[in-house]
Amino acid sequence: MIRESASVVIVGSGMGGGTLAWGLAQRGIDVLVLERGNYLPREPENWSPQAVFVERRYKPAESWFDDAGNPFSPGVHYVVGGNTKVYGSSLPRLREQDFEETVYPSGVSPAWPFTYADLEPYYASIEGLFRVHGTTGEDPSEPWRSSPFPYPALEHEPYVAETVRRLAAQGLHPSSTAMGIDYGPGGTCIRCRTCDGFPCRLGAKSDAETCGLAPALATGNVRLRTDAKVDRLVTEAGRVVALEGHLDGEPMHVTGGAFVVSAGAANSAALLLASADDEHPQGLANSSGLVGRNYMVHNNTHIAAVDPRRENDVVFQKTVAVNDFYRDLGDGIPGGTIQLIGKVQGSMMKTHATKVPLAALNRIAGRSMEWLVMSEDLPSAHNRVSVDRQGRIRVSWRRTNYDRHEKLLATAKRMLRRAGYLGIFEQRFDIALNSHMCGTAVAGTDPARSVLDPWCRSHDVPNLFVVDSSFFPSSGAQNPALTIGAQALRVAAEVDWPSTV
Ligand SMILES: Cc1cc2nc3c(=O)[nH]c(=O)nc-3n(C[C@H](O)[C@H](O)[C@H](O)COP(=O)(O)OP(=O)(O)OC[C@H]3O[C@@H](n4cnc5c(N)ncnc54)[C@H](O)[C@@H]3O)c2cc1C
Ligand code: SF4
């Protein structure tokens, strides 16, 4: 039996856990991070579309199951840094109204238990820590900010600049994407073609390992154990007293003063549910019955817009977003965001268009520009993560608020046709494309209607926290990682953490 101990024990080293470790390290707190995966190696395959997208080199060979018992391969990466090792580094803030209640025709997006103003100082801190590039004054939906972006916006390459001109000619306001990469004077980023969805071979992507955990370890206050999978939290007299699991295959028993679950929205819920005991028969932190429920993933569609008359020679494509419809889709109700993604190559299209010859896909990719259309989905008790008798993750999921997505998608297509794109191909995200998952342990002020308090502390178990995307009371319609990181810094700074075990 391997025994470890720390004042604060964190399960998971992704956006929530890695950033929290950094925040606690600044306060001199003794932290142990337990990560089920290992370091993602820097190797030539990092930038190989074949290895990353076709062979799924960095994804676990793990299946989750839908309601009908069909397996699917989830959007998770069990490595130091979690999903941020392959994320697209698009790091926008949510807008002020995302923290307030929004009434849609088919449901309600609930208010958060804290405001944009409460989180704003931590947005500013995380933007500095994650080297976010951006600019103000372009985006009609941008929230107020107390300080400028720490780094200037990335410039558009000529093909993108021409599309921006065509969109602006329609009266739209294309704006620079907020991006976390180490680009510019003295930076190590070379603006390559394989960033979004790929690990960075140069370590220049602002992921949770590079920007959170590594500097946290360097303080000497934080220790990391890799290949350390936590299976269960153990309670005594209403408090968590230990974690049990396996380290390098050996049984592990870890004690501490406070315990933080940061395993990602599905695995955090699964861990709490799997920790049911006599005192907590529905699972830990689950007197509300809401652990695992309210699972959200965004309503997302990828679009490939093809103009056969223009060759797209772009290298780094992800520099523009259109947020004109974010607050109002022409009917006074929010729509969402339309944003460029990294340049898709023919072999990446092949993973979905399996019957189309690669040569044809390469020809399309040479003349296409790829976008993500993202709108808000809504918390629903039906949509839930649970654990079956064999300990496998099961996901019950039905689309919510999808009429708004259809409307935004139609608007996006109209916008692109007017910009000269003759062919539009779409890929709607299904149950497996769940990388924006959140909401499985919502934060709130009422213990009957939420799992966590506004600082991510369990209402039921005072020394238990969940600091990752699980706490989101609603999903907004912007990429989630910056908000996860900002909340982790807020929790690190504002909670009275134990200094001893
Ligand atoms: C391809 C891709 C592109 C994306 N692009 C963007 C983007 O551009 N912008 C954006 O904002 N977001 C993006 N995302 C989403 C973003 O990465 C996630 O929202 C974010 O990483 C979630 O943070 P988290 O802390 O909740 O979980 P994660 O970052 O996934 O971290 C969870 C960690 O917990 C570990 N873990 C799980 N279970 C256990 C256990 N039982 N014991 C020990 N450790 C455990 C995992 O190995 C992992 O390291 C993208 C995701 C993907 C996959
Ligand atoms: S664009 Fe920069 S940060 Fe992204 S993978 Fe390439 S070198 Fe790394």
Side-chain angles (χ1 to χ4, degrees), residues 91-95 116 120 123-124 127 143-145 478 482:
L91 295 174
R93 299 180 177 198
L94 288 177
R95 287 23 183 175
Y116 174 80
E120 202 284 336
Y123 270 137
E127 283 175 345
W144 64 268
R145 42 190 310 127
Q478 294 287 346
L482 192 80

Side-chain angles (χ1 to χ4, degrees), residues 47 89 180-183 188-196 198-206 316:
W47 285 347
S89 269
I181 54 177
D182 185 21
Y183 182 71
T188 48
C189 169
I190 57 167
R191 262 192 90 135
C192 73
R193 209 174 191 204
T194 43
C195 192
D196 197 356
F198 297 82
C200 179
R201 201 178 164 187
L202 305 178
K205 183 186 286 196
S206 297
F316 190 93

Side-chain angles (χ1 to χ4, degrees), residues 334-350:
T337 182
I338 304 166
Q339 53 182 240
L340 280 177
I341 57 172
K343 183 74 197 90
V344 170
Q345 305 178 35
S347 52
M348 292 154 73
M349 292 179 171
K350 187 87 183 144

Side-chain angles (χ1 to χ4, degrees), residues 75-340:
V76 290
H77 296 77
Y78 297 150
V79 292
V80 176
N83 266 358
T84 68
K85 287 309 286 184
V86 299
Y87 77 167
S89 269
S90 168
L91 295 174
R93 299 180 177 198
L94 288 177
R95 287 23 183 175
E96 295 98 313
Q97 84 271 17
D98 290 320
F99 294 78
E100 296 158 11
E101 180 181 280
T102 302
V103 179
Y104 287 102
S106 64
V108 174
S109 163
W112 288 34
F114 51 89
T115 64
Y116 174 80
D118 293 327
L119 201 57
E120 202 284 336
Y122 301 104
Y123 270 137
S125 303
I126 189 87
E127 283 175 345
L129 191 62
F130 277 64
R131 305 173 299 212
V132 179
H133 294 248
T135 191
T136 51
E138 296 176 343
D139 180 342
S141 77
E142 71 187 359
W144 64 268
R145 42 190 310 127
S146 57
S147 50
F149 278 96
Y151 297 90
L154 301 177
E155 64 274 23
H156 310 310
E157 292 177 35
Y159 181 94
V160 175
E162 172 57 22
T163 303
V164 165
R165 197 189 59 70
R166 292 176 183 202
L167 296 174
Q170 298 174 32
L172 297 170
H173 302 83
S175 54
S176 302
T177 307
M179 287 295 299
I181 54 177
D182 185 21
Y183 182 71
T188 48
C189 169
I190 57 167
R191 262 192 90 135
C192 73
R193 209 174 191 204
T194 43
C195 192
D196 197 356
F198 297 82
C200 179
R201 201 178 164 187
L202 305 178
K205 183 186 286 196
S206 297
D207 58 51
E209 179 206 343
T210 310
C211 296
L213 192 62
L217 292 170
T219 64
N221 298 326
V222 176
R223 290 164 286 147
L224 169 69
R225 296 285 176 268
T226 56
D227 294 311
K229 179 169 181 291
V230 176
D231 298 327
R232 185 179 171 77
L233 292 83
V234 181
T235 67
E236 222 175 84
R239 296 175 70 81
V240 180
V241 289
L243 303 180
E244 289 176 354
H246 289 86
L247 201 161
D248 282 328
E250 293 284 313
M252 154 181 95
H253 183 90
V254 180
T255 52
F259 296 84
V260 186
V261 179
S262 301
N267 277 297
S268 286
L271 193 51
L272 296 176
L273 293 171
S275 302
D277 57 23
D278 289 347
E279 212 182 330
H280 309 92
Q282 299 193 87
L284 216 49
N286 198 21
S287 63
S288 64
L290 292 176
V291 169
R293 294 191 188 268
N294 298 316
Y295 169 82
M296 295 169 276
V297 287
H298 279 146
N299 288 320
N300 283 332
T301 297
H302 274 158
I303 286 181
V306 183
D307 181 350
R309 300 157 301 190
R310 288 170 70 202
E311 188 188 340
N312 185 357
D313 58 356
V314 73
V315 177
F316 190 93
Q317 180 170 267
K318 194 171 179 168
T319 56
V320 172
V322 176
N323 285 315
D324 291 77
F325 313 106
Y326 195 78
R327 293 179 199 271
D328 181 358
L329 192 42
D331 54 7
I333 303 171
T337 182
I338 304 166
Q339 53 182 240
L340 280 177

